[in-house]
Amino acid sequence: MGAIALGSAPAIAGEIEGSVIDATGTAGLRAVEVEIEELDRKAATASDGTFRFVDVPAGTYTLRADYIGAQAQEITVTVPPTGSVDADFTLAGLDGQILVVGQRANLGSALSRKRAADTVSDVITRDAIGQFPDQNVAESLRRLPGVNVLNDQGEGRFVSVRGLDPELNSTSLNGVRLPAPESDVRSVALDVISSDIIESIEVKKSLTPDMDADTIGASIEIETTSAFDREKDLLVAKIEGSYNDKANELTPKGSIDFASRLGENVGISGGVSYYQRKFETDNIEADDWTDDGGTPYAQEIQYRDYDVERERISATLGMDFRAGDTTELYIKGTWSQFDDQEFRRRLTFDFGDFEDDALPTFAGSTATYSSDTAEFTAERDVKDRFERQRIYSIVVGGETEFDSGFFAEYSASYAKATERENGSLDPTQFEQDFEGDSGIVGDELLIGVDYSDPRVPLYSASGNTSGFFDPAGYELKDIELTALSSAEDEEYAGQFDAGYEMFMGNASLTVQAGAKGRFRKKTYDKTVEFYEWDGDGDYTLDMVQGYQTFDLIGISPLPDFTAPTEFFYDNFDQFELQGVDTAFDSSVEDYRVDEDIMAGYVMATYDNGPLRAIGGLRYEHTKNDIFGNTVTLYEEDSTLPDGTTATDDTVVFSPVQYEKDYGHLLPSLNLRYEVQADVLVRLAGYRSLVRPKLSKLAPRFAVEINDDDEIEGEFGNPDLDPYEAWNLDASLEWYMSRTGGISAAVFYKDVKNYIVDTVQEGVTFNGIYADEAVIPINGPSAEVFGAELSFSQALTMLPAPLDGFVVQANYTYTDATGTVPTDGDVSELRKITLPSTSKHTFNAVLGYEKGPLSLRLSGTFRDKYLDELGDEPEEDRYVDDHFQLDLSAKYQLTDMVQIFGEWININNAKYFAYNNLGNQRNVYQYEEYDWTAKFGARVVF
């Protein structure tokens, strides 16, 4: 944000300009605290290590440069009555350590930037040779205080801050707000972006008026490299292999990263990264839990065998220009592609008829389902799905700073995210019904399910099992072809900020204002086609049979990975399109939302010795144009709108459109007070908002009317209001040594209008009556309060060789509660923890760095959280605790070559989601992935 100085300068005053670089001359040091001791005026160095003091009265002064991990340095300068004087520093690490390479460099940079920040924030950075701790942005953020990551298939994907839902965060890359490739969320899955192209990630937990206000958790700001940030050119190549123990596959990973100055006034930087990952997941899912007869059991159990290949390509390119002494310009582009080829084979038991007087029998922890008691179905299917996500952005902008004190910042940007799938068979499904009506003992099929391990219910087959294990007995049910699934999310933005600063003795007051426009469009278009076999004879499983890779239990026979897809396309003319199902599913999910946000703000920054105060007011106006469809399925013998009776299943489709607009005044105040040289106190209060998921907002109205004219519906809600929150933060930071820091923080959030899905009965919604409907609504209110503790220290005070240890640990407590309707009754509320909110999170890192060797053991813990609401409290879905250990090792062979290895998920941390029916944990979903190892070499040219 640019600042423009208001007021008159002293009659006789000059300027001090300078830079701070590391002793090796590699790079400028960011966030160095430079102080004019006689005037008690301070400045923090910019990303290129430069600093500037204006309107300094003529005279001789002592300048002090202070950076965590380095010895403070002082120099004396004489400021002329007019003009400027240069003051440059070169800082060295403690005990001869290189200040910009390794774990200590990461720690020193992160703590220095935290100390210099205007807001409550935390930072993670890479070092001067491009070393970042983890494989993607989400995994890297896991190490910061108050930050945890929600995994997908064993890899970090969505970021949770202070235990809150990832939907409550905002994410930007080089100042560009990132759109979401998925059709149903605003939050960005950060596994799309490789850490190899990233310079730093800052998590801002309080807001200033010049920032976009759409966050309650945090604003996650990702930056790529600038050539002006370095004194020496950079060229790094990395090549490695990745091995997953469960998949027994070795796959490649590599990257190239560079930065170079093309003369004094032009710089270019960029990089490209490639990563292929093959892995397997063993999954068990159970649903439709009931306790008829007094003992909980599932009416549907699935054994899922995943074989996945993911390919990630990321690239960045930027240029920086100095247009004279007053202006710097830049252009930066990023591009990321994430391909996901997923094969999922599945054995499903449908025990839906086991209820009332036809219950399974129980012996200890085992439930036995007999085909003589009720009919049940065994389904064996395969999903063959290829999905591609892309995120790309470009931003042009600059900063102009005049000698008079005026300066401004300006930028224009474009970003687009897409997710596309076409031609996937999801799934090809074979099934066989089992119903024993012979009355002969031993003629029935018995399926026993052992629930003794609540995470892993395992089945056994006995009795007449000949048909159960015979692939020829499973006939094709249907094929679901995703002809097209295309989500697009794009945003244009432009902003201009300006200000003016005046001095009052040793104090300064900066007043600034700005405006920003964001113009977003998100669309989703889905075409799905259903096919049944219409050829000669039967299409049975034995014609496309494969083998299982599932390790928990035998689930064969299963379809092959690709044979069903090949058979479908080779024999396409022998399949019959199911028109009704195709028409319904192809219309019901389509939507488009246009969202225009116009914002303006005024802000003042007051600096006086140890105090900095930043306050002001922001206004954001939001306008939405929302498009969707009302799609109604009338089953045969139901009553059509004209009063006649449907002679066949009938689909009626009609487009709908809504408009809405609203505005918010958003005040904020951030106080930073330096109690003493190494102790800071921060206080922050601000108002913010989070707009509803566009998919929840979209008027997608799906209605089904059965032959008894009973109506079920699932509705989007264009009347949803945004989350609104008042936020308070307070923190204490103690930088107790040259190599460490301790911080403690408390926070409180009063959240209104949080959004939950409800099941309502006998409701009329937007003119549509339903006997039962799923509708997202705004909850009345919620409160969030909590505390953070963080400790970081390089143990250089210990005797050798123990002086190489580095310790980092942080803990966050979050209490987030709200109320929701009970069983859809808005007049009867029950208390819940907010979805995706973990009460306890803990991260710890033990590092060691001495000579050419660097080791790091890290552990991360996340408490259980509410994932989804059920119809009743005991049916709510919870995700269990998660604890994961990772280990990395590096060894510097020569000045140019480093070898390294990583061991990820050492303890084979698993995923477990459950309900509490019958006062016990009952599995909804269980997954295990095993560990992954990486090894390779980094070469610095």
Side-chain angles (χ1 to χ4, degrees), residues 920-934:
Q920 64 183 43
R921 290 187 172 188
N922 307 294
V923 64
Y924 273 137
Q925 183 177 346
Y926 169 84
E927 288 184 350
E928 61 179 55
Y929 324 98
D930 229 325
W931 53 264
T932 297
K934 300 179 182 180

Side-chain angles (χ1 to χ4, degrees), residues 387-426:
E387 181 180 84
R388 170 168 289 171
Q389 293 183 359
R390 283 178 175 165
I391 300 178
Y392 48 94
S393 66
I394 186 168
V395 57
V396 294
E399 179 178 355
T400 299
E401 185 173 347
F402 297 102
D403 292 338
S404 62
F406 282 98
F407 55 100
E409 289 186 357
Y410 34 87
S411 68
S413 64
Y414 172 74
K416 185 173 184 178
T418 63
E419 181 181 76
R420 187 177 179 86
E421 176 186 345
N422 62 296
S424 298
L425 270 61
D426 181 9

Side-chain angles (χ1 to χ4, degrees), residues 231-372:
E231 297 296 315
K232 295 180 180 179
D233 290 348
L234 171 73
L235 178 58
V236 177
K238 186 169 69 171
I239 185 169
E240 60 186 287
S242 176
Y243 174 82
N244 177 254
D245 185 53
K246 185 174 285 293
N248 193 27
E249 290 274 2
L250 179 64
T251 53
K253 184 175 187 285
S255 65
I256 296 176
D257 191 22
F258 71 92
S260 179
R261 292 196 182 196
L262 309 178
E264 286 297 316
N265 297 318
V266 180
I268 185 171
S269 59
V272 62
S273 171
Y274 173 83
Y275 180 27
Q276 181 191 59
R277 179 178 177 233
K278 293 183 180 180
F279 61 96
E280 296 177 7
T281 300
D282 292 342
N283 169 293
I284 298 176
E285 299 192 17
D287 208 349
D288 297 331
W289 282 87
T290 181
D291 58 356
D292 288 349
T295 302
Y297 64 95
Q299 293 181 311
E300 181 180 275
I301 301 176
Q302 301 181 8
Y303 297 90
R304 299 183 171 203
D305 187 4
Y306 287 93
D307 294 82
V308 183
E309 178 180 339
R310 289 179 173 173
E311 188 176 76
R312 181 188 297 113
I313 306 174
S314 297
T316 179
L317 183 65
M319 293 194 72
D320 298 272
F321 312 88
R322 288 197 174 102
D325 295 332
T326 62
T327 299
E328 287 192 9
L329 304 174
Y330 61 85
I331 179 170
K332 295 182 179 181
T334 61
W335 183 88
S336 291
Q337 179 173 289
F338 181 78
D339 290 344
D340 188 7
Q341 172 63 64
E342 179 181 295
F343 295 104
R344 183 209 65 205
R345 280 92 58 74
R346 178 173 59 176
L347 167 61
T348 300
F349 291 104
D350 182 355
F351 299 123
D353 290 340
F354 283 80
E355 56 186 356
D356 299 328
D357 294 329
L359 300 177
T361 59
F362 295 92
S365 60
T366 299
T368 300
Y369 305 81
S370 169
S371 60
D372 272 354

Side-chain angles (χ1 to χ4, degrees), residues 545-562:
Q545 186 177 354
Y547 60 92
Q548 77 173 61
T549 57
F550 196 74
D551 294 330
L552 298 178
I553 195 172
I555 58 173
S556 294
L558 289 177
D560 183 56
F561 296 116
T562 60

Side-chain angles (χ1 to χ4, degrees), residues 675-692:
V675 179
Q676 58 188 49
D678 54 2
V679 178
L680 292 176
V681 174
R682 300 182 192 268
L683 295 173
Y686 61 97
R687 188 182 186 219
S688 63
L689 74 154
V690 170
R691 297 171 180 89

Side-chain angles (χ1 to χ4, degrees), residues 487-499:
E488 295 188 358
D489 193 356
E490 61 180 347
E491 180 173 296
Y492 294 87
Q495 69 179 69
F496 181 82
D497 309 288

Side-chain angles (χ1 to χ4, degrees), residues 25 73 86 118 212 218 242 258 279 293 301 317 332 377 421 440 478 499 509 592 786 799 831 855 873 933:
Q73 187 180 120
D86 292 333
D118 293 332
D212 291 326
S242 176
F258 71 92
F279 61 96
I301 301 176
L317 183 65
K332 295 182 179 181
T377 302
E421 176 186 345
I440 301 173
D478 64 12
L509 177 66
R592 170 185 152 192
K831 188 175 181 180
L855 302 171

Side-chain angles (χ1 to χ4, degrees), residues 51-303:
F51 65 92
R52 184 186 187 201
F53 293 99
V54 299
D55 297 331
V56 181
T60 300
Y61 300 98
T62 302
L63 289 185
R64 177 183 172 90
D66 190 14
Y67 185 78
I68 294 175
Q71 291 287 356
Q73 187 180 120
E74 294 183 352
I75 61 174
T76 301
V77 296
T78 300
V79 179
T82 59
S84 64
V85 62
D86 292 333
D88 296 326
F89 292 88
T90 300
L91 299 186
L94 301 173
D95 301 324
Q97 290 284 327
I98 298 176
L99 194 57
V100 292
V101 176
Q103 295 184 53
R104 291 189 191 177
N106 294 134
L107 177 62
S109 174
L111 289 178
S112 294
R113 288 184 60 176
K114 178 181 177 71
R115 181 179 65 177
D118 293 332
T119 62
V120 179
S121 65
D122 289 284
V123 185
I124 189 167
T125 68
R126 70 175 185 175
D127 66 13
I129 61 171
Q131 298 181 104
F132 218 76
D134 298 282
Q135 60 187 334
N136 66 51
V137 171
E139 293 281 356
S140 299
L141 282 169
R142 194 195 296 272
R143 316 300 173 195
L144 292 179
V147 176
N148 216 304
V149 175
L150 307 187
N151 286 358
D152 175 62
Q153 301 279 20
E155 186 176 22
R157 188 166 175 80
F158 290 99
V159 174
S160 169
V161 178
R162 290 174 164 172
L164 298 176
D165 190 334
E167 286 292 310
L168 302 182
N169 300 325
S170 62
T171 305
S172 63
L173 178 58
N174 293 324
V176 180
R177 180 57 57 85
L178 287 181
E182 287 92 346
S183 65
D184 58 344
V185 296
R186 284 184 183 267
S187 55
V188 179
L190 293 179
D191 59 346
V192 177
I193 304 171
S194 169
S195 64
D196 291 322
I197 68 168
I198 301 303
E199 179 67 25
S200 68
I201 313 168
E202 184 170 9
V203 178
K204 293 185 177 179
K205 301 170 185 175
S206 66
L207 301 182
T208 52
D210 55 333
M211 297 171 61
D212 291 326
D214 51 350
T215 182
I216 295 175
S219 175
I220 301 169
E221 302 183 359
I222 306 168
E223 295 182 5
T224 58
T225 305
S226 167
F228 284 170
D229 297 346
R230 303 185 58 84
E231 297 296 315
K232 295 180 180 179
D233 290 348
L234 171 73
L235 178 58
V236 177
K238 186 169 69 171
I239 185 169
E240 60 186 287
S242 176
Y243 174 82
N244 177 254
D245 185 53
K246 185 174 285 293
N248 193 27
E249 290 274 2
L250 179 64
T251 53
K253 184 175 187 285
S255 65
I256 296 176
D257 191 22
F258 71 92
S260 179
R261 292 196 182 196
L262 309 178
E264 286 297 316
N265 297 318
V266 180
I268 185 171
S269 59
V272 62
S273 171
Y274 173 83
Y275 180 27
Q276 181 191 59
R277 179 178 177 233
K278 293 183 180 180
F279 61 96
E280 296 177 7
T281 300
D282 292 342
N283 169 293
I284 298 176
E285 299 192 17
D287 208 349
D288 297 331
W289 282 87
T290 181
D291 58 356
D292 288 349
T295 302
Y297 64 95
Q299 293 181 311
E300 181 180 275
I301 301 176
Q302 301 181 8
Y303 297 90

